[in-house]
Amino acid sequence: MRTQVGIVGAGPAGLLLSHLLHLRGIDSVVLEARSREYVEQRVRAGVLEQGTVDVLNEAGVGERMSAEGLPHHGIELRYGGAGHRIPFERLVPGRAITVYGQQEVVKDLIARRLADGGKILFDVPDVVPHSLEADPYLTFQGERLDCDIIAGCDGFHGVCRPSIPDGVLSIFQRDYPFAWLGILAQVPPSAEELIYSRGDRGFALHSMRSPEISRFYLQVPPDASLDDWPDERIWAELRARLETVPGFALTEGPIISRDLSAMRSFVAEPMRYGRLYLAGDAAHIVPPTGAKGLNLAVADVRVLTEALAGLYATGSTELLDAYSATCLKRVWRAQHFSWWMTTLLHTFDTDDPYGRRLQTSHLDYVTSSEAAATTLAENYVGLPFDFGAPRD
């Protein structure tokens, strides 16, 4: 079997890359270790930056997102017994976020790729990349897929990054001393916009997936077990952390799923070795506080699509050679923003009264200074795709 681009991973990065390449007349095959049902039901991110929304719409896969997604024009920072809205519509006019679950993006992309005759092979857990420096190919289930380029879109635990020889990559990592307990509840949201709440008991986030489904997160110890968190304890803790302003009451209902997520920052540099190009979580992880993971993956594959289109149109490798450096400018900006949001809003075991006062002072500054609030807003809705480009 032969194709131009072999893509490992049928998450948002791999599927969007396959679709964007198809629009440029470039063939690809997507190999996915899990089943179609699994990847379509896997609950992950749900906040799409303005740029991500624009890419999906321009690529012709945004119809359901436009109909069912929830545009938001602000978020609330809640602390010290008061809520403070960050108004995107005033601070960054014309830019917003859209709440639309990652699994819904995946469903839309799979449906479109299959309708266009795209090749996605599910349930192939034994993919191995070979000959990355010269004539790359992938083996799986006794078969061989020859290709010009391999795109490693297979996530943090995938096979592509570990296939790069020792000593090539520089790894930058930070692990945080807490985890997030995430739940989906079959209950209407208790607020119209996301609420980021900081308090002495820890961080909590009120989010949503639809007018009928709410999404919540709680800061918990890093060794927490789902068995430690029955429904009654989850709702009691959410009430304690979110019902901290007058007049706000949390709407409760059946919990339909729950998960635990480690909190880490991770970057592997460079994002390329030979003819293997890493994209999304295969190359970088951010704590979810800044809502950047899925959006960084979309930015990566947008850059990679342009580079591959240049290769096949002119034979030039200029954009491919610049791929890693181009992506990493945005990656490190998102790393800093995600770290900043995380350290601003969570409690740490090492906190002393001085540290807690510093957090409060910084929150006061963000919620009272136009300049500071604008910095948060423009990073949250997503920087333009030309971020980092030289300016006249």
Side-chain angles (χ1 to χ4, degrees):
M1 190 187 315
R2 177 162 183 86
T3 190
Q4 290 173 295
V5 182
I7 300 173
V8 185
L15 293 167
L16 181 59
L17 177 61
S18 181
H19 177 60
L20 294 177
L21 292 176
H22 168 73
L23 296 178
R24 299 296 189 95
I26 301 169
D27 293 330
S28 67
V29 173
V30 180
L31 305 178
E32 168 56 46
R34 303 281 194 162
S35 68
R36 177 179 178 179
E37 180 182 18
Y38 179 88
V39 299
E40 289 187 338
Q41 299 300 322
R42 180 170 45 191
V43 176
R44 288 291 187 269
V47 174
L48 306 185
E49 293 178 355
Q50 183 67 58
T52 296
V53 170
D54 293 343
V55 167
L56 294 173
N57 281 327
E58 290 165 6
V61 289
E63 182 177 358
R64 195 163 68 94
M65 172 189 66
S66 297
E68 300 178 14
L70 306 175
H72 285 200
H73 298 277
I75 59 172
E76 180 184 324
L77 301 181
R78 184 172 290 186
Y79 69 99
H84 308 265
R85 185 171 184 266
I86 306 297
F88 300 156
E89 71 275 11
R90 179 169 59 81
L91 299 170
V92 283
R95 300 181 69 78
I97 59 168
T98 296
V99 174
Y100 188 65
Q102 175 174 310
Q103 69 273 23
E104 305 306 321
V105 175
V106 167
K107 290 175 188 175
D108 295 342
L109 287 167
I110 289 175
R112 180 59 181 272
R113 288 306 296 126
L114 296 179
D116 288 343
K119 192 157 191 177
I120 308 171
L121 303 182
F122 294 101
D123 292 307
V124 285
D126 56 347
V127 175
V128 180
H130 302 270
S131 190
L132 302 179
E133 294 186 85
D135 299 304
Y137 63 96
L138 296 159
T139 57
F140 60 97
Q141 296 180 333
E143 299 213 31
R144 171 170 168 154
L145 175 64
D146 290 286
C147 46
D148 303 324
I149 298 290
I150 296 175
C153 305
D154 51 344
F156 183 77
H157 298 290
V159 300
C160 286
R161 191 181 68 252
S163 70
I164 296 174
D166 292 343
V168 171
L169 297 177
S170 295
I171 302 298
F172 304 87
Q173 183 167 336
R174 175 165 297 177
D175 295 316
Y176 295 88
F178 40 75
W180 269 17
L181 170 63
I183 70 162
L184 277 177
Q186 194 168 346
V187 57
S190 303
E192 294 183 357
E193 296 177 334
L194 277 70
I195 301 171
Y196 287 76
S197 182
R198 170 191 169 268
D200 293 338
R201 300 177 69 95
F203 168 80
L205 173 60
H206 169 284
S207 184
M208 63 284 294
R209 288 295 178 268
S210 74
E212 298 81 29
I213 302 293
S214 295
R215 179 72 161 159
F216 299 96
Y217 297 95
L218 286 168
Q219 175 186 349
V220 297
D223 57 352
S225 165
L226 291 178
D227 294 337
D228 300 333
W229 289 90
D231 291 9
E232 297 79 7
R233 184 184 181 191
I234 289 173
W235 287 116
E237 198 61 33
L238 285 169
R239 287 195 302 271
R241 299 189 196 186
L242 289 169
E243 291 182 348
T244 57
V245 299
F248 178 82
L250 193 64
T251 304
E252 301 179 24
I255 294 176
I256 54 180
S257 75
R258 68 193 74 207
D259 56 86
L260 284 166
S261 301
M263 298 284 282
R264 66 165 62 92
S265 300
F266 175 91
V267 180
E269 295 186 6
M271 292 170 56
R272 176 244 181 119
Y273 173 72
R275 297 192 178 187
L276 168 66
Y277 294 81
L278 303 177
D281 287 359
H284 42 73
I285 296 285
V286 288
T289 326
K292 292 290 165 243
L294 168 61
N295 297 293
L296 278 179
V298 170
D300 287 348
V301 300
R302 180 181 175 276
V303 174
L304 187 54
T305 298
E306 294 301 319
L308 290 169
L311 173 70
Y312 287 111
T314 70
S316 171
T317 64
E318 180 180 359
L319 293 179
L320 277 175
D321 293 340
Y323 168 75
S324 181
T326 301
C327 290
L328 284 169
K329 289 178 182 178
R330 191 180 194 89
V331 166
W332 278 110
R333 174 85 296 276
Q335 287 285 337
H336 179 267
F337 178 68
S338 300
W339 164 85
W340 178 76
M341 287 280 284
T342 301
T343 55
L344 185 66
L345 293 165
H346 290 74
T347 59
F348 290 77
D349 293 340
T350 56
D351 277 355
D352 55 16
Y354 179 84
R356 288 191 289 274
R357 287 297 183 98
L358 285 180
Q359 278 185 311
T360 301
S361 175
H362 201 158
L363 281 163
D364 287 342
Y365 177 57
V366 169
T367 56
S368 62
S369 162
E370 187 93 350
T374 300
T375 295
L376 190 159
E378 70 176 0
N379 279 273
Y380 199 92
V381 303
L383 295 168
F385 283 124
D386 63 356
F387 169 75
R391 299 187 182 276
D392 296 332

